[in-house]
Amino acid sequence: MNKPMKSKNSKNSTGNKRLLPMLLAVIVVLLVVLLFFITTGSKSSGSAELEGLPNYTDVKGTIVVDGLKYEKQPHLGKEDAKVKVIEFADFKCPACKKWTATYLDTFINDYVDTGKAQFYFMNFAFIDRDSYLAASAGEAIYKQSNEKFWEYVHKLYANQGDESKIWATQKFILKFVKDNIEGIDYGQFEQDVKNHTYMFDVKEDFKIAGAYGVNGTPKFMVNGVLLPDSSYEGLSAAIDSALQGAK
């Protein structure tokens, strides 16, 4: 009895059925390899970025809270002003950026230029490790020029990144200052940032602020008294009251 012959189409169908799982397996392997390289590449890149970030636990030295140390802080206004105002801020803080953009020029016009108040900036870098780096970079600029520090404040806030992400990396800060802040010794600045030269000052500010009850940013202090809120109205009222008491 003659057996029926299998058609060519039947053979092709069988071959295709065998080939399909092999192709799928190859695709899966390629995807796994690709995912591995993407993951390890992003991790190594992220690790490189994190390497230049400071940590408070690495800062050595004894910090003694024995006053607000106005003499160490960046400042605006006359030394003989009867009211001293401190802003506690974090360069990663969106509310600090908003306050600076909305009120700082008005505050300077109303109180600093009129000789009523002297204004100080004090770090309360708490959001993340790049907060500490941005603060120490600001200290490095301040040690060279008080005027350039305030330029750094305005321009860094204008280029502020996402609060939930690490953006103020060593690479970002060095390029940002090189491109935006003229009139400083950039070589010295670069060395100070890479060596974390002023991280002790940043940690000292943080410890002092915390000892006086600061727990967020922006916060304001008028003649040593921490204000309950950060509104411009509250700050103005506190200054006016201090001026009345000083008469």
Side-chain angles (χ1 to χ4, degrees), residues 17 198-199:
K17 286 180 181 178
Y198 297 107
M199 265 307 299

Side-chain angles (χ1 to χ4, degrees), residues 28-145:
V28 168
V29 170
L30 288 174
L31 287 173
V32 169
V33 171
L34 181 62
L35 183 62
F36 172 78
F37 279 111
I38 291 173
T39 303
T40 54
S42 63
K43 281 184 179 178
S44 61
S45 175
S47 298
E49 289 286 281
L50 290 173
E51 280 178 6
L53 296 177
N55 196 317
Y56 279 151
T57 57
D58 297 330
V59 180
K60 307 304 178 185
T62 303
I63 295 174
V64 178
V65 179
D66 57 356
L68 291 162
K69 300 185 179 180
Y70 291 100
E71 71 281 359
K72 295 186 69 174
Q73 311 307 329
H75 52 274
L76 295 170
K78 298 176 181 178
E79 292 287 340
D80 61 352
K82 293 180 179 179
V83 177
K84 293 184 182 298
V85 178
I86 300 176
E87 178 193 6
F88 299 92
D90 184 317
F91 286 112
K92 287 191 68 173
C93 165
C96 297
K97 172 184 176 178
K98 184 177 180 180
W99 194 94
T100 298
T102 307
Y103 299 117
L104 184 56
D105 287 344
T106 300
F107 176 82
I108 291 171
N109 184 65
D110 291 347
Y111 293 103
V112 176
D113 290 346
T114 56
K116 295 177 181 178
Q118 191 171 23
F119 187 66
Y120 297 85
F121 181 100
M122 196 165 179
N123 294 297
F124 189 70
F126 75 103
I127 294 175
D128 212 326
R129 290 172 62 191
D130 52 335
S131 297
Y132 318 156
L133 185 66
S136 64
E139 290 287 337
I141 291 176
Y142 167 58
K143 293 301 187 290
Q144 293 195 39
S145 168

Side-chain angles (χ1 to χ4, degrees), residues 188-225:
Q188 182 63 54
F189 170 78
E190 182 178 24
Q191 182 179 331
D192 289 337
V193 169
K194 288 182 175 180
N195 294 336
H196 302 159
T197 304
Y198 297 107
M199 265 307 299
F200 181 86
D201 299 71
V202 175
K203 186 175 180 179
E204 183 180 50
D205 280 358
F206 178 80
K207 291 288 187 181
I208 291 172
Y212 279 87
V214 176
N215 59 3
T217 53
K219 289 287 186 179
F220 296 90
M221 183 177 279
V222 174
N223 283 355
V225 178

Side-chain angles (χ1 to χ4, degrees), residues 1-8 10-11:
M1 185 175 179
N2 292 333
K3 292 182 180 180
M5 294 180 62
K6 291 184 179 179
S7 68
K8 289 184 179 180
S10 177
K11 288 182 180 180

Side-chain angles (χ1 to χ4, degrees), residues 143-209:
K143 293 301 187 290
Q144 293 195 39
S145 168
N146 180 65
E147 180 183 354
K148 291 298 176 180
F149 170 82
W150 293 101
E151 187 177 333
Y152 174 80
V153 169
H154 282 285
K155 290 183 177 179
L156 188 60
Y157 277 140
N159 288 271
Q160 188 183 75
D162 189 330
E163 180 188 9
S164 65
K165 298 178 181 178
I166 290 180
W167 56 269
T169 60
Q170 190 176 102
K171 180 180 179 181
F172 173 88
I173 290 292
L174 290 175
K175 185 177 187 308
F176 167 78
V177 169
K178 189 173 187 178
D179 293 345
N180 292 279
I181 310 295
E182 298 179 354
I184 64 168
D185 182 338
Y186 182 78
Q188 182 63 54
F189 170 78
E190 182 178 24
Q191 182 179 331
D192 289 337
V193 169
K194 288 182 175 180
N195 294 336
H196 302 159
T197 304
Y198 297 107
M199 265 307 299
F200 181 86
D201 299 71
V202 175
K203 186 175 180 179
E204 183 180 50
D205 280 358
F206 178 80
K207 291 288 187 181
I208 291 172

